Every structure is written in structure tokens, then in C-alpha cells.
Amino acid sequence: MSEIILGISAYYHDSAAALVVDGEIIAAAHEERFTRKKHDADFPFHAATYVMREAGVSYEDLTAVAFYDKPYLKFERLLETYHAFVPKGLRSFLSAMPVWIKEKLFMKKMLKEELSQLGKGEVPILFPEHHLSHAASAFYPSPYEEAAILTVDGVGEWATTTISHGKGNEIKMLRELNFPHSLGLLYSAFTYYTGFKVNSGEYKLMGLAPYGNPEAEETKIFREKIFSTLIDVREDGSLLLNMDYFQFATGLKMAHDKKWEALFGVPRRKEESELDQTYMNMALAIQQVTEEIVLKLAQTAKRLTGARYLVLAGGVALNCVANGKLLAQQIFEDIWIQPAAGDAGGALGAALAARYLWKKQKRTVVQGKDAMQGAYLGPAFDNRAIYHVARKNQAPYHYFEDFDELTQKVAGILAEGKVVGWFQGRAEFGPRALGNRSILGDPRNPEMQKKMNLKIKYREGFRPFAPSVLEEDVPKYFDLDRKSPYMLLVMPVAEQRLKALPANYASLDLYKRLYCLRSDIPSITHVDFSARIQSVNKETNPRYWQLINAFKQLTGYGIVVNTSFNVRGEPMVLTPDDGYRCFMRTEMDYLVMGNYLFSKEEQPVLKNDSNWQTEFELD
């Protein structure tokens, strides 16, 4: 009889469900993709329904349901925190307590009620700790029999950072840093202060950091003040926050605005306001501090475990700039990062923890290959479903029996400087589009970054784009000697591809720097000559590989620009309906779904469409 475990993460942000059958990850999905509410925190009813349907099982077939954290421990942390900071935090206490007392304190009962919507039957519900769920999501799918495990995020129940040792089917926790002292919350406080949204804008802060000037006196002062006033960092990477400057423990915002303004000499930036060099320098300063702490933590993990490999999860593991610096330091022979490193991945980790730590099942590792299947774990839609969307919208299309012919056609379209929505196969699990729900462009085109940011994604013009490159061609374009399938490493563009820059480059304003020609692949070369790399494997994603290879045969470049298929504030598209609607709402030139090619010029006006700019809240 099969062992079938449903993993659930919910009630904070990025709810998700995952299903593991006899150790194989059958399916995993974010609730937001179904509900179209970005970072949806509700019980993942749609995601759970999907993963069970994908496996062909019903609720009564489940061996267990594993929830990604321990609610009682979280409640304990809230109570003790409010008590420790009395009389501060009364407003926050009064707003949080009714919800906890009415609902979250009775989480098991509430979960049972939600799960009863999925089917009947008495199924055991397990509650692994939050950081154990993260650790399990990083270690068990990794290609390593043994590894050091580093999990860093905002906060789970109490833990904000843990170092563990994974071996075989066991995970042993070795070190734990507790709330309120948190690298993730420190980074989020700077996200807040630089005018971006907490829990969604951290990647913007990371993308802004390279515009900071590392030689500027202001950057050095910011960095010094972070170390001297805001945090006390120890040699092992543990840290203490000066809570006089933070309000997340007891208040309704991240930082004490007036104290930060007095410390840094600059007010909090208003959301959507113009960015000036000061905030870029601040972004660089906190990014440098984060990288330094992550390196110290990795060195401690190496010392404690003696392991050859490191695996990472937790929200901070999505800081791909820090990941690239960590890899370059060669503290470990290699590192592997869970592609759904945030809370959504906790659903998968909880299910895997149940299998290996509760059921104590044997773990099998395939040398050199992880168990994530390229992170293509979401729903797929066949050509018939795509045809129905075309008929419903009276949308003209071109159907290609021969996929080779389609990829050659699309390669030509990309080479002409057009932008293509690319919708194939199973949706990605995790925050990155990896070639199945992607918007594509020509990396050689100096105007492509501007066009995609302002006319397709409708987002801030400074935001960088990632390259998808044939796995075998990675060293031709980047200073990287291994694969990077999940777009979680930022590495330098190969030196031979760089162009000479004007002498005053560092002093130019943001957009003049941005539009300087920096390399022969300018639309994916960030202002610091780096790129967030996705290597594409012929076996893992044959259709995407085939398209990039067709582009290479035509242009000599085995690389394309890849960004997620959505507009700003919208979750990544999931269904053909979502894909066609997003295509029609933007200035995308072409859409490919399955074997169907849609040209924007041929499409009728989209009927009964809402205004996406009011439908989706800006992230």
C-alpha cells in the first residue's frame, strides 16, 4: 500500500500544497496561481485539490497531512514578545489577539474543517516546526547523501536561522537563532525603509543594490552605521538586533522611522516615488551586510558538520546575489538551493519530513540529480484546452503539427526584436519562471530591457532580467562552471563579452547607467556586469531547450531573456485563459501556448475584460 502525504503551508503568505507518494514528489503548487491573489495566505484548497487530482488519489487515501509549522509555538512567541516589550505594542496586541483566540489557537480544529472540504476520512495531521520544514525541503530533494543545511528567513515559530546536518534520512539541528534577532527581518526593514513592500519587494531591493556606488562615502557610512548601531554580528554569523530601532516585534510596521532618519540622515522613501542615489547606496550597504553574514553562517555550518555540500532554504535563500558570492568563496564543493525556498516550499518540506522523520523511510539519492524535476510540478494543459480558449475568444491562431517548425518560427520572431509569451507543459513551483510560464526576448537587443519593463511588465525600469541559457553553453557567457537550473545564482558575465564603459559611468544617474551598452548580451547584463542565470537542460525541459537551440542556430547565441509570465502585481499565469488574457493586456507581440501561435496584430479586442491595474494591487 502506497504512502501518500499531503503537505500544506497556509495562513501567513504564499500558501501552497504538495503531494509526496512513496518518496516521489508528484505535484506542488501555489494557491495564488489558482485564485489570482498574489501571495495568497488562505487555506490552499485549490492547490490541494490539484495535487491530489494529479496523483489520482482522494483525501481518504492519504497516510497523513503535514502542516508546515507549529501554531501553538507561534502563539507562545507572540505572547512572550508582547510581555517582554510591555507597554509597547498594545495596538498590535489588540489587533492580533482576537484572530488568534478565535481561529489560530484552534488551528487543528480549523485545519480539520478546511481539510473536510477535500474529502471524508480520519487522516493524522502532523505539525513539524517551521524551520524543520524548510530544512527538509532543502535536504531531502537535494542530490546529496550528506550535507550541511542552512535555513534563514524572517521568523518561524521562534527560530529565524538554523544550521542542521542532513545524512541519509536524518536531519539533526545543531544551532538556532531566535526571534527577534533575524537577518530576514533586518533585510525586510530596509525593504520597508527604501519604499518597497515587505514580503514581496525584497527582490527589488536586491536588484537596486548594484546601482549603489561601493566607493561612495555615503555607502561606507550606511554600512558602518548598520554594524555599529543596528546589529551586533558575531564571528559565527549569529546576530543581535538593536530593538530600539525596530517595530516589527510590537508595532504594525518594520522600523522606527524617526530613529532611522536620525541615524541615516534620510527619510523613509515614499512608495512609487523617484529613486535617488542615496537609496541605491542604502540598498547596496544592506546587501553587502547580508552577504557577509551569510558567508559567516556558511563557514559555521562547515565547521560544525564537516560536510562537503551545503543546501539552503528560507526566504533569504532567494537572495541569489548572496548565493553567487557564497558559491564563489568555495567554502563547500557545491551548494543546492530549494527553488521554492520561501514559505510555499514549507508545504513540500513538511510532507518530506513526515516521510523520513515520522515514518523513518529509507532515502534514495540519484548521484548528480535532484528530485525536483526542474520544479515543473504544477498543472499542465493540453492543446485541446488551448483550442477552447482560442474559440471562446474568437482568437485567430496558427497551429503547428511540427514543433520543430514552431520553434524555428519563434526563434525568427525573437531575433526580430519581438516579445513572446511562452506557455508550455507543467507550471513551475516556486517564485521563478523557468521556461513554462515565461515571457521571452532577444538578449542582444539593447532596447529589450526597457521594452519588457515598461510595456510588457509595467514595472520599475531599473529591474533586471534573467537569461535562460543552454546548459552546455553556460561557460561561454558567464563566469560559472556548473549548472544553475533554478535561477538562484547571480554570477558575472564572461569578461570577453563586456564592452568598454564611459569614464564617468559610476557617476551617471540610474537610467543613463542602465542604458549604457555593457556587453554583447546587454538586456540581461545588470549594471554591475552580473546576471541571474537559468541553465536549461535538454532532458528536463526539452521544448524550452529546443526553442533556445533554434535561436542559437539562427543567431549564434544559445541564450534568451526570460521573465515571468505576468504583469506587475499579478501572480504568474497558470491556465491558457490566464495566458491569453495577460497577452492581450500587454504590448507582447506574440503568444505561444502548446503548438498554437497567436499574433497580437490578428487578435480581436478582448471582451468583458477588467482593468488589470485596478484588479491587481501593485507589489
Side-chain angles (χ1 to χ4, degrees):
M1 190 172 168
S2 288
E3 177 195 87
I4 307 166
I5 302 172
L6 174 66
I8 296 284
S9 68
Y11 306 127
Y12 183 46
H13 58 87
D14 297 304
S15 293
L19 199 81
V20 175
V21 178
D22 295 331
E24 183 185 355
I25 304 165
I26 300 297
H30 301 242
E31 185 69 2
E32 66 165 21
R33 310 285 161 86
F34 298 88
T35 63
R36 314 309 298 151
K37 286 163 55 182
K38 196 154 190 181
H39 305 300
D40 195 343
D42 290 343
F43 178 82
F45 173 79
H46 302 87
T49 301
Y50 154 68
V51 297
M52 291 194 298
R53 186 175 69 241
E54 188 71 38
V57 301
S58 55
Y59 185 74
E60 53 265 32
D61 298 324
L62 299 180
T63 308
V65 174
F67 188 73
Y68 81 133
D69 69 9
K70 288 185 181 293
Y72 285 146
L73 269 183
K74 194 173 277 188
F75 184 60
E76 174 190 278
R77 188 247 301 166
L78 283 173
L79 285 180
E80 289 199 21
T81 300
Y82 288 129
H83 182 260
F85 287 96
V86 163
K88 290 180 187 174
L90 182 61
R91 276 179 63 210
S92 177
F93 178 80
L94 291 174
S95 69
M97 281 308 105
V99 179
W100 272 95
I101 291 165
K102 281 182 188 173
E103 296 176 8
K104 295 187 178 180
L105 199 52
F106 304 102
M107 180 72 78
K108 196 163 187 178
K109 180 174 178 286
M110 189 163 80
L111 260 179
K112 279 188 172 180
E113 287 172 2
E114 301 274 24
L115 290 166
S116 69
Q117 298 177 63
L118 300 175
K120 294 178 180 175
E122 281 298 315
V123 178
I125 303 175
L126 310 174
F127 294 88
E129 287 187 9
H130 185 94
H131 271 252
L132 179 58
S133 294
H134 275 321
S137 78
F139 177 60
Y140 292 127
S142 79
Y144 312 132
E145 176 66 30
E146 179 183 1
I149 309 167
L150 181 57
T151 70
V152 191
D153 65 4
V155 61
E157 297 89 359
W158 277 104
T160 62
T161 301
T162 60
I163 295 172
S164 307
H165 188 191
K167 193 171 184 180
N169 69 346
E170 294 182 353
I171 291 176
K172 186 179 180 186
M173 206 163 279
L174 305 174
R175 291 285 189 278
E176 181 177 307
L177 181 67
N178 282 340
F179 184 85
H181 309 295
S182 166
L183 178 58
L185 291 173
L186 173 68
Y187 202 85
S188 289
F190 277 88
T191 301
Y192 159 82
Y193 204 74
T194 50
F196 302 119
K197 281 195 176 172
V198 173
N199 287 332
S200 70
E202 283 76 7
Y203 57 93
K204 296 185 189 182
L205 184 64
M206 182 180 70
L208 185 65
Y211 293 95
N213 183 349
E215 302 304 319
E217 194 61 32
E218 185 176 54
T219 306
K220 293 172 184 174
I221 289 169
F222 285 157
R223 180 185 159 87
E224 187 277 325
K225 286 186 173 179
I226 293 168
F227 278 122
S228 66
T229 307
L230 291 187
I231 59 172
D232 177 9
V233 181
R234 308 298 165 86
E235 205 47 47
D236 64 358
S238 61
L239 59 91
L240 295 172
L241 297 185
N242 181 350
M243 293 308 295
D244 288 344
Y245 284 82
F246 297 92
Q247 292 194 296
F248 59 77
T250 57
L252 301 173
K253 56 186 183 177
M254 293 302 299
H256 198 301
D257 291 7
K258 286 184 180 175
K259 288 185 178 180
W260 278 50
E261 187 171 345
L263 177 64
F264 292 116
V266 55
R268 177 178 173 248
R269 175 179 162 259
K270 289 185 175 136
E271 287 183 13
E272 306 302 318
S273 65
E274 204 61 42
L275 277 158
D276 64 29
Q277 191 60 46
T278 290
Y279 295 105
M280 300 175 211
N281 291 341
M282 182 175 277
L284 176 58
I286 187 56
Q287 179 63 33
Q288 289 176 338
V289 168
T290 300
E291 289 163 14
E292 192 169 317
I293 294 168
V294 168
L295 290 176
K296 285 179 184 290
L297 289 167
Q299 285 160 344
T300 302
K302 176 71 174 179
R303 178 175 54 80
L304 291 173
T305 65
R308 295 163 58 197
Y309 304 108
L310 175 70
V311 297
L312 300 103
V316 176
L318 293 170
N319 191 311
C320 40
V321 179
N323 296 340
K325 299 278 175 68
L326 176 55
L327 182 67
Q329 286 293 310
Q330 299 183 336
I331 299 166
F332 293 88
E333 288 180 30
D334 208 351
I335 64 175
W336 188 86
I337 305 133
Q338 165 54 242
D343 277 6
L348 175 59
L352 292 168
R355 172 168 174 80
Y356 294 112
L357 299 176
W358 178 56
K359 284 292 190 179
K360 303 193 183 308
Q361 300 285 8
K362 189 174 183 296
R363 175 171 171 253
T364 304
V365 178
V366 179
Q367 197 63 40
K369 191 174 180 183
D370 70 51
M372 289 297 295
Q373 302 160 52
Y376 307 115
L377 296 167
F381 300 87
D382 60 16
N383 281 320
R384 187 171 177 78
I386 296 161
Y387 171 71
H388 281 310
V389 170
R391 272 196 70 169
K392 183 177 78 173
N393 291 285
Q394 298 178 330
Y397 60 82
H398 304 269
Y399 182 80
F400 290 77
E401 289 285 353
D402 183 350
F403 195 71
D404 267 351
E405 190 185 340
L406 175 59
T407 55
Q408 286 165 28
K409 173 75 174 172
V410 176
I413 288 168
L414 289 170
E416 290 169 8
K418 306 295 187 189
V419 176
V420 177
W422 182 256
F423 182 112
Q424 302 290 334
R426 295 183 73 178
E428 298 89 341
F429 183 53
R432 306 282 175 247
L434 300 171
N436 280 5
R437 302 290 186 276
S438 291
I439 299 172
L440 309 178
D442 183 349
R444 305 168 303 157
N445 188 328
E447 295 298 311
M448 190 54 62
Q449 180 180 8
K450 188 176 188 179
K451 179 179 180 180
M452 290 177 85
N453 263 331
L454 303 180
K455 295 189 174 183
I456 313 296
K457 302 282 281 189
Y458 302 107
R459 67 185 198 181
E460 302 93 340
F462 73 84
R463 302 264 296 276
F465 286 107
S468 292
V469 56
L470 299 176
E471 187 176 283
E472 54 272 34
D473 286 357
V474 168
K476 292 181 185 175
Y477 298 97
F478 306 104
D479 186 12
L480 181 65
D481 61 355
R482 63 201 74 198
K483 59 188 179 181
S484 173
Y486 300 120
M487 211 186 276
L488 285 167
L489 292 172
V490 166
M491 298 300 283
V493 172
E495 196 172 344
Q496 67 268 24
R497 300 204 165 268
L498 301 181
K499 306 277 188 191
L501 293 171
N504 65 336
Y505 178 71
S507 62
L508 294 173
D509 71 26
L510 187 155
Y511 289 108
K512 285 184 179 167
R513 261 179 292 165
L514 180 60
Y515 301 131
C516 276
L517 199 64
R518 290 181 293 282
S519 77
D520 68 337
I521 39 175
S523 61
I524 58 86
T525 303
H526 205 9
V527 289
D528 61 350
F529 319 105
S530 70
R532 190 180 72 200
I533 303 158
Q534 181 205 358
S535 57
V536 180
N537 180 282
K538 189 175 184 178
E539 291 178 16
T540 308
N541 195 333
R543 286 193 158 212
Y544 195 34
W545 186 94
Q546 197 173 333
L547 172 66
I548 301 170
N549 193 52
F551 187 75
K552 180 182 178 180
Q553 300 311 311
L554 183 66
T555 65
Y557 284 70
I559 183 171
V560 295
V561 183
N562 171 17
T563 188
S564 57
F565 198 154
N566 60 337
V567 291
R568 185 180 170 194
E570 178 189 21
M572 236 186 290
V573 302
L574 182 70
T575 67
D577 247 331
D578 300 334
Y580 185 76
R581 195 179 309 111
C582 185
F583 165 62
M584 291 301 294
R585 286 170 164 177
T586 69
E587 294 180 51
M588 245 181 280
D589 302 296
Y590 288 86
L591 169 65
V592 180
M593 294 199 289
N595 289 44
Y596 289 81
L597 173 68
F598 300 83
S599 167
K600 178 62 68 61
E601 290 178 349
E602 298 173 357
Q603 303 307 306
V605 174
L606 191 61
K607 292 176 183 173
N608 305 318
D609 188 37
S610 63
N611 180 353
W612 70 264
Q613 287 165 307
T614 56
E615 183 180 337
F616 302 119
E617 185 183 340
L618 292 182
D619 62 3

